[in-house]
Amino acid sequence: TRDFMLEKLGIVGNGHIGSALKSGLVKAGYTDILVSNHESDNIDVVANSNIIFLAVRPVIACQVLDQIALHLKNKILISLVAGLSISIQDVSTFRLMTSLLISENMGLNIVWTGQNTNVEATKEVSELLESLAPTRWVETEAKIDQATLSVGAAPGWIAEIVSLLPP
């Protein structure tokens, strides 16, 4: 069996969720993590990783995918881009909804098995995500969009409500 902790992981996007994801991966024991801090780093990160997390804003996601698509062949792509369906030939794609709590290996991961996946890729992604936080799989892509509201926004809503309570 493969040692999933030795996988080369790449994170394209170093904003809030990309940074939180990196922190969570480090806390979970992963050591080989590449992160693109700028558009010029994206191809290098993808070319040198086996599993790539796409953690960019929806408004630039298509532009970034155009840039890196040729380097994704036979790799695993886990997209954290809200509302964007991705299908690339010869790329196992998954969609993940999580929250900033992933930085502390907390919260909940909601994941959908996307296009061109196989049992081995799904097992690998499952083990990786379970090492970060409890993970639930949904049957349809539409359900991942529904989960965005509850998993992504709920912690902020709860914090706002708590802040309004009297001391």
Side-chain angles (χ1 to χ4, degrees), residues 61-100:
C62 290
Q63 174 187 340
V64 172
L65 282 167
D66 285 344
Q67 179 190 29
I68 65 174
L70 293 175
H71 304 278
L72 287 168
K73 187 172 182 168
N74 299 320
K75 297 189 181 201
I76 295 173
L77 177 68
I78 303 171
S79 172
L80 290 98
V81 180
L84 181 64
S85 182
I86 298 173
S87 177
I88 303 171
Q89 187 173 355
D90 299 322
V91 180
S92 293
T93 59
F94 297 83
R95 280 191 61 196
L96 169 65
M97 181 59 225
T98 192
S99 71
L100 296 177

Side-chain angles (χ1 to χ4, degrees), residues 92-112:
S92 293
T93 59
F94 297 83
R95 280 191 61 196
L96 169 65
M97 181 59 225
T98 192
S99 71
L100 296 177
L101 294 172
I102 201 167
S103 66
E104 300 297 324
N105 299 125
M106 297 171 58
L108 179 65
N109 295 324
I110 305 292
V111 64
W112 175 69

